[in-house]
Every structure is written in structure tokens, then in C-alpha cells.
């Protein structure tokens, strides 16, 4: 009896793990949004920094402004997520981070002559900020809104 | 460089097409990446036309509003005279600055509407779709190039294919 239970339990565990893996590797709109936000932000930043440099602008004020915005954003998200115990969800999954950072670094290195070192860091931070915003929106806000929608529906059913 | 955004003439179409084509050829890699970023979303929505997560919701309004704020912030200083992003030197009479301010207001309205959730689904789709987002991005990118004269004809040329793609996608969703 015990053996059959343990076998069943093991099978359930394996099934759960398989389901979890299948879920984590399924391409969803969230993944595409994070990746496309990174691509779009990186392209936009390269175009603008190139334009600033060619027009003789100093990038320092924009760079400092961007750093301030990024710091404020992270601080705000931490303040919101910490009471809910969700600080771990501040950044996307490691694989997604690696993909996005690699693309940004490679693309910025291609244009490093035209954008300079400061431009390089600007592009990395800018694209990180945008894809992280996208991640936070889709990973936390979407769930919260969906939950609220769900609870409203439940309320309607009860009535 | 920017001309009248509300002027459209059929005779200006070849010139506008030539300018867009030249811009894309000169920046093949970057434009390619931009097209890929849009194409990925489009293909996903096209294939998964029946899944709930490929629909446009308020969350997309919020997302496009935030990206528009970033575009406006980068665009606002592009014609600034001191070349140091000094607030006192921002010239509101410059068309680029006006567009940036318009985008900023538009983005804040979108974000507010995303939270208030008063828009009907039809308008959520109109304002939250990735085609409109791409249109704003591409136009902003064209504004960074001084050799490209952005005018109404050019905007129509960018908007028409995007609008067609949006209509095709919505029809497929409605019929599928």
C-alpha cells in the first residue's frame, strides 16, 4: 500500500515538474513584450544618441537624468513589491535578462564609434529600464488587474 | 527636419517614398531590428489570434504610454539651442518640441485611461495596438535624421500599411 502511494506521489511530482517546465518554456505575449521592448528601446536610444553626438550635444545631462529615473523607478517598485513579498520579481527571469543584455551590448558595440562610451552605457541603461518597466507591468500589474477582474466576476456570480 | 505635417499631395509620394527608402537603406541594421521588434508581436498575435493574451487590453495602453513618454523625453531636446539640455533654452515654437510636448500629453492621457478603465474596448484596441506604437517610434526616429523631411505625405505612407496590417489582424481575430 505504502509503495503504491509513494509511487503515485513520485509520479505526481514528476508530472508537476514537467508541467512547470512546459509552462516556463512556453512563449507568451509577456516574453515577446519584454524582448521587443528591449529591441525597440535599444534602437531608439542608438538613433537618438547618434543624432545628439552628430549635432554636438553633451550627453551628460540626459545620461544623469536617465540614471535618476532608473533609480527612482527601482526604488518605487521595491517599495511597492516589498510589503507583498514580491521583490524577487523586480527583474525578469535570468535567461531573459541574458538575452536582452547580450543583444543590447552587441548592438551598442557595433555603433560604439558613433555613440562613444557614455552613449554605450546610456543605451544599456535605457534599454534595461524600458524592458524592466515592461516586465513589471506585465508580471505584476497584469496579474493584479486579472485578479481584480476575477474577483468582480465571482461577486457577480454570487449575487 | 520637419515640414507641414498636415499637408498631403499625391505628387509628393515618390519623393517621400524615396526618403523613407534611403533612410532604411542607410540604417539597415537598426531599422531591421525595429521591424523585427514589431514583427515578432504581429506574428504572435496573428498565429495565436484566439488566445486571450494576444488581445489588446488596458495594460497595452499603459505600456505604449510609458514608451511614448520616453520618446517624448528624447525628442524634446533635439532642437535645443544651447546643446546642453538647458530647460531655459527649450524653444516651444520649434515643431519638434511641439510634437514632443504633444506626445507627452498623449502618453499621460493614455496612462490615466489605462488606470481609470473607462475606455470602451474598441478605443482600447485603437490606442493600445502595437501598430500605433510602431508608427510613433518610426516617426520619432525619422525626426532624428536632418536629411529626412518629415511631412504629411510621409506620415500617410507610414500609416497606411500599418493600418492595413491592423485591420487584417482584427478581421482574422473576429472571423477566427
Amino acid at each position: 500500500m505504502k509503495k503504491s502511494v509513494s509511487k503515485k506521489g513520485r509520479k505526481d511530482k514528476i508530472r508537476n515538474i514537467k508541467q512547470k517546465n512546459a509552462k516556463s518554456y512556453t512563449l507568451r505575449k509577456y516574453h515577446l513584450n519584454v524582448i521587443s521592448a528591449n529591441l525597440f528601446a535599444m534602437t531608439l536610444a542608438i538613433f537618438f544618441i547618434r543624432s545628439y553626438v552628430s549635432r554636438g550635444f553633451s550627453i551628460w545631462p540626459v545620461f544623469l537624468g536617465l540614471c535618476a529615473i532608473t533609480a527612482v523607478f527601482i526604488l518605487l517598485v521595491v517599495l511597492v513589491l516589498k510589503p507583498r513579498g514580491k521583490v524577487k520579481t523586480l527583474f525578469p527571469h535570468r535567461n531573459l535578462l541574458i538575452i536582452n543584455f547580450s543583444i543590447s551590448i552587441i548592438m551598442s558595440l557595433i555603433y560604439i564609434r558613433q555613440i562613444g562610451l557614455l552613449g554605450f552605457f546610456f543605451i544599456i541603461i535605457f534599454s534595461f529600464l524600458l524592458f524592466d518597466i515592461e516586465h513589471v507591468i506585465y508580471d505584476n500589474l497584469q496579474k493584479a488587474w486579472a485578479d481584480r477582474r476575477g474577483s468582480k466576476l465571482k461577486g457577480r456570480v454570487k449575487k | 527636419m520637419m515640414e507641414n505635417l498636415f499637408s498631403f499631395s499625391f505628387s509628393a509620394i515618390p519623393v517621400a517614398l524615396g526618403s523613407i527608402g534611403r533612410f532604411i537603406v542607410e540604417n539597415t541594421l537598426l531599422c531591421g531590428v525595429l521591424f523585427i521588434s514589431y514583427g515578432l508581436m504581429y506574428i504572435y498575435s496573428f498565429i495565436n489570434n484566439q488566445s486571450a493574451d494576444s488581445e489588446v487590453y488596458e495594460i497595452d495602453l499603459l505600456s505604449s504610454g510609458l514608451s511614448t513618454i520616453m520618446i517624448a523625453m528624447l525628442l524634446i531636446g533635439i532642437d535645443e539651442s544651447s546643446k546642453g539640455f538647458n530647460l531655459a533654452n527649450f524653444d516651444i515654437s520649434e515643431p519638434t518640441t511641439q510634437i514632443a510636448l504633444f506626445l507627452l500629453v498623449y502618453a499621460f492621457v493614455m496612462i490615466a485611461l489605462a488606470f481609470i478603465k473607462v475606455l470602451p474596448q474598441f478605443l482600447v484596441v485603437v490606442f493600445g495596438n502595437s501598430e500605433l506604437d510602431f508608427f510613433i517610434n518610426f516617426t520619432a526616429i525619422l525626426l532624428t535624421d536632418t536629411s529626412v523631411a518629415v511631412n504629411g505625405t510621409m506620415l500617410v505612407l507610414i500609416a497606411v500599411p500599418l493600418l492595413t496590417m491592423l485591420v487584417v489582424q482584427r478581421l482574422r481575430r473576429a472571423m477566427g
Side-chain angles (χ1 to χ4, degrees), chain B residues 24-38:
Chain B
I24 293 171
V25 169
E26 280 172 8
N27 305 288
T28 320
L29 186 61
L30 288 174
C31 287
V33 172
L34 194 72
F35 291 142
I36 288 170
S37 76
Y38 164 68

Side-chain angles (χ1 to χ4, degrees), chain B residues 2-150:
Chain B
M2 212 164 72
E3 291 175 1
N4 189 3
L5 291 180
F6 300 102
S7 67
F8 175 81
S9 72
F10 286 101
S11 57
I13 288 177
V15 180
L17 268 179
S19 298
I20 296 172
R22 191 168 37 79
F23 179 80
I24 293 171
V25 169
E26 280 172 8
N27 305 288
T28 320
L29 186 61
L30 288 174
C31 287
V33 172
L34 194 72
F35 291 142
I36 288 170
S37 76
Y38 164 68
L40 279 173
M41 291 299 298
Y42 190 81
I43 292 166
Y44 179 82
S45 307
F46 204 81
I47 294 170
N48 299 295
N49 63 321
Q50 284 304 303
S51 76
D53 82 333
S54 63
E55 180 55 289
V56 181
Y57 293 116
E58 282 88 356
I59 204 105
D60 298 292
L61 276 183
L62 183 63
S63 158
S64 64
L66 285 167
S67 65
T68 309
I69 286 181
M70 290 297 177
I71 292 169
M73 281 167 68
L74 289 174
L75 205 59
I76 208 159
I78 209 154
D79 281 331
E80 195 250 311
S81 54
S82 75
K83 298 185 175 181
F85 296 97
N86 190 345
L87 275 175
N89 291 319
F90 283 134
D91 188 1
I92 299 175
S93 62
E94 282 286 341
T96 323
T97 314
Q98 283 172 356
I99 285 192
L101 289 173
F102 170 76
L103 286 178
L104 210 60
V105 173
Y106 165 79
F108 279 118
V109 171
M110 286 301 106
I111 292 169
L113 288 173
F115 279 101
I116 299 167
K117 294 185 180 182
V118 287
L119 277 187
Q121 183 61 25
F122 167 71
L123 288 177
V124 171
V125 172
V126 168
F127 292 116
N129 66 72
S130 53
E131 283 76 17
L132 182 61
D133 209 20
F134 183 81
F135 174 77
I136 294 170
N137 297 342
F138 196 67
T139 311
I141 282 169
L142 283 175
L143 287 171
T144 63
D145 195 333
T146 46
S147 64
V148 179
V150 180

